[in-house]
């Protein structure tokens, strides 16, 4: 970041880094022990807080007499610890002259200096920022109220406005909220935004106009949390004013599910204020519906920054005037429609509920089933085990989505097919496992896949389920198999997916059981419905078995042919070597050329045979055995694995260069993080952040096949010296994706990339030593361990072919 008329060539980044380094080198340190390890830590956090020191010192110098005395008082410890010798006078003056750029740079890199934002992901507000930019309308000189403004990330969007509100509530999140408030005020000052934000309010105190610095009501309220009294925020609006509520989807219905039970079980006093707030919220939403004040309901996904998983959210846009229609929209599914305000229901303000086509004739699903894993059951089991010190047996089998099916024929869960709780993949998940005692049905899905699984026999002391996967208990005289078939019925499935916007959990399912309309079958009709499902399952199974048999025969033929071709290359080389021996009187010397055409020497021939035989042994074993087994799956650091793979094999890749797209060590925590309350180690420096579950030798086989395919089909122009194989990886929700690209010859335009994954498709059967299984082996291995492979052809790009390998990660693996 350079600035005009900068004769010394200073940059903001360089001078901020210079000050940080000076502080780091001069901060008094102390050593203490934790869990048998010694750690060096600053004697005082304020001593080490270089960025806060620099920010307030620059602010004091730039604002002079206009500096807010309360801001300076809050930051006084940091300004007193400012290292005045760290920067020259000219350097400090340069930062003052470019104060707004300094503050912008500091807050854009806040994760580097503020512990509250040091998480695996730092884009918590990115989706909100986008929605505010695209959806929130305002004019200059309007007054905006932002409760829980924090570091003023959202307030920064309202340039030209007066921003009111408070930084946080007293009972939550920041012990140093006055510091957070002060930093936010400095940020707004640097951006030229007039701020009247106060540090905090008490959690149990209602917001009134007395929290504003004058008696004027506001034009706009932007609320990012469900911890606030919506009704009192609404009362701050002028007539015609707008209110935008960004809330997690369940927050708009939790008042109807409030339980005193939860507080008693957790040993806490029942919070009457919370109950009052919940009831008031329902009254408030009913008031909005009655007055037709709701302008629009929008559903979207946000990210949980700690777990990197999607969180279902609602944007509720309210205006203090009457509307003749309400816009309902799903950003996830790109669907928009309009409804009459009179149809809105305060118990379920989810856009999907008003988009679903529910049958007029039928009965609610709640008439047939009830939820097993309600919030009460989860808390009851957890605390019962906690109080008695009970540990679940490792022999219990876990009902997970990997054992469900998208067809009725695959929905029965057999004990022998389920994974034991003691398996490493469930390490740390015991608190989230529930013991089940009755036959039931699991269901889980999204817009891409809908999965159902049922347990028919008594599961007591046999099975456990994960607490967030819906487990439905059929009511008396209802066959569990009927429920499983019913949940796969298109009309029922589409209702659930549409209402829940494609995201199902135990909590959301419990909220909509009475909103799902199912056929009003008589007992006799239920028997017939189940018989039809069983008959279709039988036909489907027969067709699948027939196809599997044909695929098996084709695979055997291909493997036999591939084995013959692979051995023929070795036989050919041996024949050439032996023919030369006979011509040469039985004598062989290392430098003798056995062929005038290839000019291969005896020494090179023996090296070739040795290496090929060594490579072919495991390949032959796999070719000869369709049911070839790999090693036990384990957690793999994808970054380290690929670096080691390249290091081990790269010396033999003479026709191309392997390239990685990440900075080494980027998948490891950069520092040890100590819990400030318990002083225990939360994360150790060097710990792996993301890992995938897979057998190492199977992953080696997959990568070897990809490289073999690239060498055989992509790197075919011997005159080119710029061939590359590019490795990259990233997380996507709960999935880890490895990508291997090459910049060689593209896949022919007449080839369908999906067909390359089928049995019997290979164009390399006659290549030197190629095993001929082609991409199918990659697909077979990936699917065997719950992975997936996709081949992407981009002939217009520099890298023309890309393999995308998808694996379940250590984040919520089972889901």
């Amino acid at each position: 970041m350079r600035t005009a008329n900068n004769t010394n060539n200073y940059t903001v980044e360089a001078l901020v880094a210079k000050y940080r380094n000076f502080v780091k080198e001069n901060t008094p340190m102390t050593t203490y022990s934790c869990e048998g390890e010694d750690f060096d830590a600053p004697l005082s956090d304020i001593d080490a807080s270089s960025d806060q020191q620099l920010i307030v010192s620059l602010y004091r110098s730039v604002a002079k007499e206009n500096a807010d005395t309360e801001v300076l008082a809050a930051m006084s410890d940091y300004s007193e610890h400012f290292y005045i010798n760290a920067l020259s006078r000219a350097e400090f003056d340069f930062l003052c002259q470019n104060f707004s750029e300094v503050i912008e740079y500091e807050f854009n890199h806040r994760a580097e200096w503020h512990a509250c934002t040091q998480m695996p992901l730092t884009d918590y507000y990115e989706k909100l920022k986008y929605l505010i930019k695209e959806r929130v309308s305002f004019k200059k000189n309007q007054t905006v109220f932002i409760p829980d403004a924090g570091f003023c990330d959202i307030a920064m969007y309202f340039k030209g406005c007066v921003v009111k509100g408070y930084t946080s509530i007293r009972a939550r999140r920041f012990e140093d909220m006055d510091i957070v408030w002060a930093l936010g005020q400095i940020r707004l000052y640097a951006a030229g935004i007039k701020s009247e934000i106060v540090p905090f309010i008490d959690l149990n105190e209602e917001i009134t106009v007395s929290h504003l610095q004058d008696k004027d009501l506001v034009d706009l309220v932007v609320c990012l949390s469900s911890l606030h009294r919506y009704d009192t925020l609404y009362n701050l609006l002028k007539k015609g004013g707008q209110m935008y509520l960004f809330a997690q989807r369940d927050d708009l219905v939790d008042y109807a599910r409030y339980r005193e039970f939860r507080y008693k079980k957790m040993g806490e006093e029942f919070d009457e204020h919370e109950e009052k707030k919940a009831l008031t919220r329902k009254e408030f939403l009913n008031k909005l519906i009655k007055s037709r004040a709701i302008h629009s309901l929008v559903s979207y996904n946000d990210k949980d920054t700690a777990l990197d998983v999607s969180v279902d959210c609602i944007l509720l846009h309210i205006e203090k005037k009457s509307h003749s229609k309400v816009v309902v929209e799903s950003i996830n599914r790109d669907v928009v429609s309009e409804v009459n305000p009179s149809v809105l229901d305060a118990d379920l303000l989810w856009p999907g509920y008003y988009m679903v086509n529910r049958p007029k004739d039928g009965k609610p699903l709640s008439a047939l089933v009830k939820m097993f894993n309600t919030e009460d059951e989860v808390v009851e089991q957890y605390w019962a085990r906690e109080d008695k010190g009970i540990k679940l047996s490792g022999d219990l089998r876990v009902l997970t989505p990997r054992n469900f099916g998208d067809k009725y024929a695959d929905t029965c869960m057999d004990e022998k097919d389920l994974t034991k709780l003691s398996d490493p993949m469930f390490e740390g998940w015991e608190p989230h496992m529930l013991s089940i005692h009755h036959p039931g049905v699991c269901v889980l899905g999204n817009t891409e896949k809908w999965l159902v699984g049922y347990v028919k026999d008594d599961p007591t002391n046999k099975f456990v389920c994960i607490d967030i996967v819906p487990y439905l208990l059929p009511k008396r005289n209802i066959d569990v198999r009927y429920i499983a078939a019913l949940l796969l019925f298109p009309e029922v499935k589409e209702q659930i997916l549409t209402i829940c916007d494609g995201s199902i959990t135990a909590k959301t399912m419990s909220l909509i059981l009475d909103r799902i309309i199912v056929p009003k079958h008589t007992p006799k009709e239920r028997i017939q419905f189940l018989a039809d499902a069983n008959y279709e399952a039988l036909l489907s199974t027969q067709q699948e078995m027939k196809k599997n048999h044909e695929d098996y025969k084709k695979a055997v033929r291909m493997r036999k042919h591939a084995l013959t071709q692979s051995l023929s290359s070795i036989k050919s080389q041996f024949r050439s070597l032996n023919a030369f021996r006979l011509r040469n009187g039985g004598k062989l010397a290392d430098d003798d050329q056995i062929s005038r055409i290839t000019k291969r020497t005896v020494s090179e021939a023996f090296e070739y045979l040795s290496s090929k035989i060594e490579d072919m042994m495991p390949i032959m074993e796999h070719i000869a055995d369709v049911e070839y087994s790999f090693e036990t799956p384990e957690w793999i650091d994808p970054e380290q694995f690929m670096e080691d793979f390249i290091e081990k094999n790269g010396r033999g890749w003479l026709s191309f260069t392997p390239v990685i797209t990440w900075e080494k060590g980027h998948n490891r925590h950069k520092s040890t993080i100590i819990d400030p309350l318990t002083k225990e180690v939360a994360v150790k420096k060097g710990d792996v952040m993301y890992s995938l579950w897979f057998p190492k030798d199977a992953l080696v086989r997959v990568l070897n096949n990809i490289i073999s395919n690239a060498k055989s089909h992509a790197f075919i122009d011997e005159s080119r010296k710029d061939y590359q194989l590019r490795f990259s990886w990233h997380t996507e929700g709960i999935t880890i994706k490895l990508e291997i690209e090459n910049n060689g010859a593209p896949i022919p335009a007449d080839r369908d990339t999906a067909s390359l994954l089928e049995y019997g498709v290979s164009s390399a059967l006659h290549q030197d030593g190629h095993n001929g299984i082609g991409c199918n082996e990659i697909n077979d291995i990936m699917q065997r361990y719950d992975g997936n492979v996709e081949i992407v052809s981009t002939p217009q790009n520099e890298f023309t072919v890309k393999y995308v390998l998808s694996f379940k990660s250590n984040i919520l693996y089972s889901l």
Side-chain angles (χ1 to χ4, degrees):
M1 186 182 294
R2 295 184 177 274
T3 307
N5 302 320
N6 178 12
T7 57
N8 292 305
N9 289 324
Y10 294 140
T11 67
V12 168
E13 299 97 318
L15 293 183
V16 170
K18 180 179 179 180
Y19 186 78
R20 285 178 182 170
N21 291 334
F22 186 92
V23 172
K24 186 176 181 180
E25 293 170 2
N26 291 274
T27 298
M29 304 290 284
T30 184
T31 302
Y32 67 95
S33 296
C34 182
E35 295 187 359
E37 295 186 42
D38 291 335
F39 296 93
D40 292 328
L43 194 60
S44 164
D45 289 337
I46 294 175
D47 272 319
S49 302
S50 57
D51 295 82
Q52 291 97 316
Q53 296 167 16
L54 184 60
I55 288 170
V56 67
S57 299
L58 292 173
Y59 169 69
R60 185 171 57 182
S61 295
V62 171
K64 295 185 173 64
E65 66 275 4
N66 293 322
D68 189 317
T69 55
E70 292 185 12
V71 169
L72 294 178
M75 299 290 290
S76 60
D77 286 343
Y78 295 95
S79 57
E80 290 172 4
H81 283 74
F82 180 69
Y83 288 80
I84 197 167
N85 297 323
L87 300 171
S88 69
R89 183 73 246 178
E91 291 170 334
F92 188 80
D93 288 345
F94 172 82
L95 293 179
C96 288
Q97 292 163 12
N98 298 279
F99 178 62
S100 60
E101 287 88 347
V102 175
I103 299 303
E104 180 184 3
Y105 173 79
E106 287 282 23
F107 278 88
N108 284 341
H109 296 81
R110 191 165 76 228
E112 298 174 14
W113 54 268
H114 198 278
C116 290
T117 52
Q118 288 177 347
M119 291 184 174
L121 297 174
T122 57
D123 61 346
Y124 181 74
Y125 283 115
E126 289 308 308
K127 192 60 171 280
L128 288 177
K129 288 179 181 178
Y130 168 78
L131 287 172
I132 287 172
K133 183 178 178 181
E134 296 294 319
R135 305 280 176 148
V136 177
S137 59
F138 67 95
K139 299 176 183 177
K140 284 189 176 181
N141 300 318
Q142 285 189 325
T143 304
V144 183
F145 190 91
I146 303 177
D148 208 9
F151 284 103
C152 297
D153 297 273
I154 303 306
M156 288 290 290
Y157 276 85
F158 299 99
K159 293 185 178 180
C161 296
V162 177
V163 182
K164 300 175 183 286
Y166 51 90
T167 295
S168 186
I169 49 180
R170 177 175 292 171
R172 129 181 200 274
R173 232 165 98 189
F174 301 117
E175 294 181 359
D176 57 346
M177 66 182 69
D178 55 335
I179 305 300
V180 175
W181 168 77
L183 289 168
Q185 302 319 291
I186 294 173
R187 185 182 188 185
L188 294 181
Y189 174 83
I193 298 175
K194 185 178 179 181
S195 171
E196 295 179 6
I197 296 175
V198 298
F200 57 82
I201 66 163
D202 192 280
L203 178 64
N204 294 320
E205 186 178 357
E206 290 190 15
I207 309 165
T208 65
V209 289
S210 64
H211 286 99
L212 306 179
Q213 294 187 3
D214 54 49
K215 297 296 182 180
D216 292 335
L217 298 179
V218 301
D219 300 288
L220 177 65
V221 172
V222 180
C223 180
L224 308 178
S225 169
S226 62
L227 294 171
H228 312 286
R229 286 286 299 270
Y230 292 163
D231 53 339
T232 51
L233 288 173
Y234 181 75
N235 291 335
L236 300 179
L237 286 176
K238 296 177 181 177
K239 186 176 181 179
Q242 301 182 88
M243 183 173 177
Y244 292 85
L245 299 180
F246 296 84
Q248 290 191 20
R249 185 176 60 183
D250 299 345
D251 291 335
L252 294 179
V253 289
D254 271 356
Y255 50 77
R257 308 290 170 174
Y258 187 84
R259 293 287 185 270
E260 180 178 354
F261 167 88
R262 179 178 59 178
Y263 286 87
K264 289 183 177 179
K265 282 293 178 182
M266 295 178 69
E268 298 178 5
E269 292 185 8
F270 181 60
D271 192 334
E272 293 182 0
H273 171 74
E274 284 293 309
E275 182 184 37
K276 180 181 178 182
K277 183 176 71 174
L279 294 172
T280 305
R281 182 168 299 173
K282 182 172 182 179
E283 293 170 0
F284 167 65
L285 294 176
N286 274 319
K287 176 183 175 182
L288 292 181
I289 293 170
K290 187 175 181 179
S291 63
R292 296 176 172 251
I294 296 178
H295 173 276
S296 60
L297 283 170
V298 180
S299 62
Y300 66 97
N301 288 131
D302 203 350
K303 273 189 176 179
D304 182 316
T305 56
L307 295 177
D308 191 19
V309 294
S310 292
V311 178
D312 299 301
C313 300
I314 299 289
L315 165 56
L316 180 60
H317 180 193
I318 303 162
E319 285 187 308
K320 217 166 189 179
K321 63 180 183 180
S322 179
H323 295 85
S324 60
K325 60 185 177 183
V326 178
V327 177
V328 289
E329 178 180 358
S330 168
I331 293 179
N332 309 334
R333 294 184 291 120
D334 194 24
V335 180
V336 184
S337 62
E338 295 178 347
V339 298
N340 191 299
S342 62
V343 305
L344 295 182
D345 184 343
D347 284 331
L348 202 67
L349 281 177
W350 296 358
Y353 180 61
Y354 306 100
M355 298 178 180
V356 68
N357 294 317
R358 299 197 304 165
K360 295 181 180 179
D361 184 30
K363 57 185 175 183
L365 181 58
S366 57
L368 302 176
V369 298
K370 62 180 180 179
M371 287 293 302
F372 163 70
N373 46 338
T374 60
E375 186 174 345
D376 292 0
E377 181 68 30
V378 172
V379 175
E380 173 106 49
Q381 285 207 25
Y382 177 82
W383 286 107
R385 296 207 301 261
E386 186 79 7
D387 292 342
K388 299 176 182 178
I390 299 173
K391 187 173 178 63
L392 293 175
S393 169
D395 291 330
L396 290 169
R397 306 282 175 161
V398 183
L399 308 178
T400 64
R402 63 187 300 184
N403 304 114
F404 303 169
D406 56 2
K407 296 179 296 187
Y408 178 72
D410 302 323
T411 54
C412 181
M413 289 186 282
D414 196 319
E415 185 174 355
K416 69 177 184 301
D417 297 325
L418 302 178
T419 308
K420 289 184 177 181
L421 182 58
S422 58
D423 193 286
M425 75 169 70
F426 298 120
E427 184 177 355
W429 272 83
E430 184 178 323
H432 300 279
M433 298 295 178
L434 298 178
S435 301
I436 54 178
H437 309 290
H438 302 283
V441 184
C442 294
V443 58
L444 200 68
N446 52 39
T447 52
E448 296 178 359
K449 202 161 185 90
W450 180 255
L451 300 171
V452 173
Y454 70 86
V455 176
K456 183 177 182 297
D457 300 320
D458 183 5
T460 305
N461 298 324
K462 293 180 182 178
F463 302 145
V464 291
C465 69
I466 302 173
D467 56 16
I468 67 173
V469 177
Y471 190 75
L472 307 178
L473 300 177
K475 292 188 175 179
R476 188 176 181 181
N477 297 326
I478 304 294
D479 194 317
V480 69
R481 295 169 296 182
Y482 169 73
I483 299 300
L486 194 63
L487 291 171
L488 289 168
F489 190 52
E491 286 186 4
V492 176
K493 166 187 168 183
E494 289 307 314
Q495 284 184 72
I496 298 173
L497 283 175
T498 304
I499 293 176
C500 293
D501 212 10
S503 180
I504 316 297
T505 65
K507 188 172 186 178
T508 57
M509 194 70 180
S510 67
L511 299 174
I512 65 166
L513 273 185
D514 55 352
R515 309 298 179 116
I516 305 301
I517 304 301
V518 299
K520 196 181 292 183
H521 288 153
T522 64
K524 185 177 180 179
E525 288 172 332
R526 287 201 297 268
I527 294 173
Q528 184 60 49
F529 182 84
L530 184 55
D532 291 343
N534 283 322
Y535 180 69
E536 289 179 10
L538 177 62
L539 293 179
S540 174
T541 301
Q542 288 175 339
Q543 292 173 355
E544 188 174 336
M545 289 177 65
K546 183 178 180 180
K547 183 178 183 303
N548 288 342
H549 182 63
E550 292 300 321
D551 288 343
Y552 178 82
K553 290 194 298 182
K554 187 185 293 184
V556 170
R557 287 198 302 271
M558 288 299 300
R559 281 166 164 78
K560 288 169 64 178
H561 190 44
L563 179 58
T564 302
Q565 293 297 324
S566 299
L567 289 173
S568 70
S569 70
I570 296 177
K571 182 179 179 180
S572 175
Q573 186 68 41
F574 181 78
R575 187 186 297 116
S576 299
L577 185 63
N578 198 40
F580 177 80
R581 180 184 64 82
L582 294 174
R583 290 197 308 270
N584 206 34
K587 296 180 180 180
L588 294 175
D590 282 353
D591 55 357
D592 285 339
Q593 289 187 355
I594 64 173
S595 171
R596 295 177 182 178
I597 299 174
T598 63
K599 296 184 179 180
R600 180 169 282 175
T601 65
V602 170
S603 177
E604 290 171 339
F606 274 108
E607 288 179 5
Y608 173 84
L609 287 172
S610 177
S611 65
K612 281 299 176 185
I613 291 173
E614 184 178 347
D615 290 342
M616 287 303 300
M617 288 306 294
I619 295 174
M620 288 179 185
E621 186 178 359
H622 189 193
I623 290 172
D625 183 3
V626 177
E627 301 299 326
Y628 181 87
S629 297
F630 292 99
E631 296 172 355
T632 303
E634 59 184 291
W635 290 117
I636 298 173
D637 173 1
E639 187 170 291
Q640 188 64 52
F641 180 87
M642 286 192 285
E643 289 173 6
D644 292 344
F645 178 82
I646 293 170
E647 175 67 25
K648 181 178 179 181
N649 298 278
R651 290 184 295 275
W653 299 341
L654 302 179
S655 60
F656 63 91
T657 304
V659 177
I660 62 173
T661 60
W662 59 85
E663 179 185 350
K664 290 193 175 185
H666 134 279
N667 192 33
R668 304 212 171 235
H669 290 281
K670 299 295 186 295
S671 60
T672 297
I673 299 177
I674 308 296
D675 188 316
L677 298 178
T678 65
K679 302 301 180 184
E680 295 179 351
V681 175
V683 175
K684 288 185 179 180
K685 181 180 180 180
D687 281 354
V688 173
M689 287 194 285
Y690 300 108
S691 54
L692 58 89
W693 182 255
F694 216 74
K696 278 190 174 180
D697 58 337
L699 188 50
V700 168
R701 180 69 61 81
V702 167
L703 295 184
N704 278 335
N705 252 323
I706 292 173
I707 293 166
S708 177
N709 287 337
K711 292 164 76 173
S712 300
H713 307 299
F715 304 149
I716 53 179
D717 185 349
E718 295 183 1
S719 66
R720 283 186 60 178
K721 305 298 181 184
D722 63 341
Y723 283 136
Q724 289 185 357
L725 204 66
R726 185 166 67 181
F727 296 81
S728 60
W729 75 280
H730 65 276
T731 60
E732 192 172 291
I734 62 172
T735 301
I736 288 179
K737 294 198 171 184
L738 310 188
E739 296 180 352
I740 302 97
E741 305 168 87
N742 72 66
N743 62 346
I747 296 173
D750 62 343
R751 295 300 300 273
D752 177 16
T753 55
S755 71
L756 297 176
L757 302 175
E758 296 175 0
Y759 275 116
V761 177
S762 176
S763 56
L765 277 175
H766 300 282
Q767 300 290 336
D768 186 17
H770 197 281
N771 66 40
I773 302 302
C775 299
N776 171 254
E777 182 178 43
I778 301 172
N779 188 44
D780 175 63
I781 295 172
M782 292 299 296
Q783 290 190 351
R784 191 183 304 188
Y785 298 101
D786 293 335
N788 186 57
V789 58
E790 179 185 6
I791 303 174
V792 182
S793 177
T794 53
Q796 71 280 6
N797 296 343
E798 176 189 0
F799 285 83
T800 58
V801 180
K802 175 166 65 176
Y803 289 79
V804 182
L805 307 174
S806 302
F807 307 82
K808 299 302 182 186
S809 73
N810 55 331
I811 304 171
L812 296 178
Y813 171 87
S814 300
L815 300 180

